[in-house]
Amino acid sequence: MIPASLRYLKLPLSFDAARLQAELDALLAPQWVEHFNTRDYEGGWRCLALRSPDGQPRHIGALSEANFLDTPALAQCPYFRAVLDTFECDKAAVRLMALEAGAVIKPHRDAATAFEDGLARLHVPLQTDPAVTFRIDGEEVHFSRGDTWYLNAGRTHAVHNASARSRIHLVLDCRVNPWLRRLFAQAGMGGAMDDDLRAPDPLAHQRQALLRAPEIAPAGAAPLDGWYPVAVGDDPPGLWWRHLGQRPFSEPFFADTLRRQPPAERLRRFADWPAPADLPEALAPTAFIFPVSRCGSTLLTQMLATLPSCVALSEPPVLDDFLRLRRAGPDAAGAAGDTVRLRVLVRALGQRRDARQRHLVIKLDSWHLRDLPLFRAAFPRTPMLFLYREPLQVLASHRRQRGPQMLPGVIDDGWLGVTFRHPGEERTDNAASLAPADLDRYCLHVLRALMETALAAGDGGQPLILLNYERLPQLPDTPLLAWLGIRCGRTERLAMRQRAGFHAKHGAPFTGDTATAERRGAAPEPPLLARVAQLYAMLEQSRLRNEIVQYQDNCDRL
């Protein structure tokens, strides 16, 4: 049997239940919302959001890619605010969940809500009774009042309130970081601090969503034309595929196109690695884009997607799947096998479905820059672009909504050259020693590492092609597209300019960036700020030199 600590765990944090109860009693009844999963419970089950997507007071969903912000209800509850601040980690949804007397939550599982997935669902019971019990993988347990409990919601669990009054829990979805790992280790969770514990997977929820489709048995499966790989399987080794037919990749992200496919059209299948060899001719990659994050890379792919000759894919999840598994442990095939498999994936993604299509451009996640040597080994003649932005503008964007790469755990600390202090440990003069809540300083260290890697890429005589966020609106008129071999007429350039006038992800007219949110953690030290500013200046100098070369090359071709 799986150890109980992997299904639930009592953590060494307790709170004043009476103070919580007093603030709970002051909350108004109209703020509570009936839970939307009516098939999963019998009786009454209500929620009140304290953190929700964009701070919407009646949005009680938990698994969302939106920006989680405090709701007006949290502002009414100073002690609740203090409780949340105790958890030195990034928090997604935070809800009060009330299960009425006699009510039952039926057995179910919630995808990607386990500690090892990078998201820990924590319960602090405010109002409860010994007659309120969880059943987790067949074992009954009662969560005591005022204490903090971890529930692995990825396990089959159910709840029965057999008492005579409502059971109310404060439920926090916390993103795993070094501080939370130490808390779990203190609670006795074996392996919580192990070096080989896999890092939080920022795409775990997305992957689960992409695989929610009826499966076709391999024996009855048709050829792979019109099928696209969405996830890597490691036992047995192979690929999970989703059928798209002729549906174009016109949404901001690869996953968005699949997500908006009508449910009746969704199909999935599994095939081994050699299967893509049977696909018809595919497009050779024209360019790979490595973004620094929040630098307009999504807009760039949207601009390119307006061109009939271009297939522009934004962050295909299967590539992140492959690269993360590769880093988790070497394959028996070694580096040569990794190169072959990367080519297989790109070939499967580059299917030509329109005779006008000539170019394939793939935008990667920012943390994939560390895998640049593999991409160069697999595609030595394919241009690699690095898209960047003024560092403090990137920091301001992440203050409004933290991306997964700017939360500790997604990128290896060793690669970044940072360490995290234990709770209560005093701050030192070492700029690379961080408290778990120092998210702004961590963000600047990530930017530093990415910019240093981009600049170092040219040491071997193969510099990255550099593109600044500020230059995107002028892209149709720059030498870069012609240098990549992408020819645009007047109508196509106009379409690209028009797309540049709208928000990359929301589609609304772009009117400039909004005001910044509050700072998170200790203020960055002047030397760290000076270093990222220096790196940005070096990138600009290199970019200007590159643009002169591109212009001269284009003139020579005329």
Side-chain angles (χ1 to χ4, degrees), residues 2 9 19 110 128 130 133 164 253 277 300 307 346 391 463 479 498 504 509 550:
I2 298 170
L9 185 68
R19 291 182 65 185
D110 301 313
T128 188
T133 55
F253 293 95
L300 174 57
L307 303 176
V346 172
Q498 289 176 337
Q550 292 167 14

Side-chain angles (χ1 to χ4, degrees), residues 523-553:
E525 301 84 351
L528 178 58
L529 291 169
R531 177 57 177 163
V532 294
Q534 177 192 37
L535 292 168
Y536 176 77
M538 294 169 66
L539 286 168
E540 281 293 270
Q541 293 172 0
S542 183
R543 176 181 65 83
L544 292 173
R545 291 194 297 269
N546 287 351
E547 288 185 355
I548 293 173
V549 172
Q550 292 167 14
Y551 177 79
Q552 292 173 340
D553 284 352

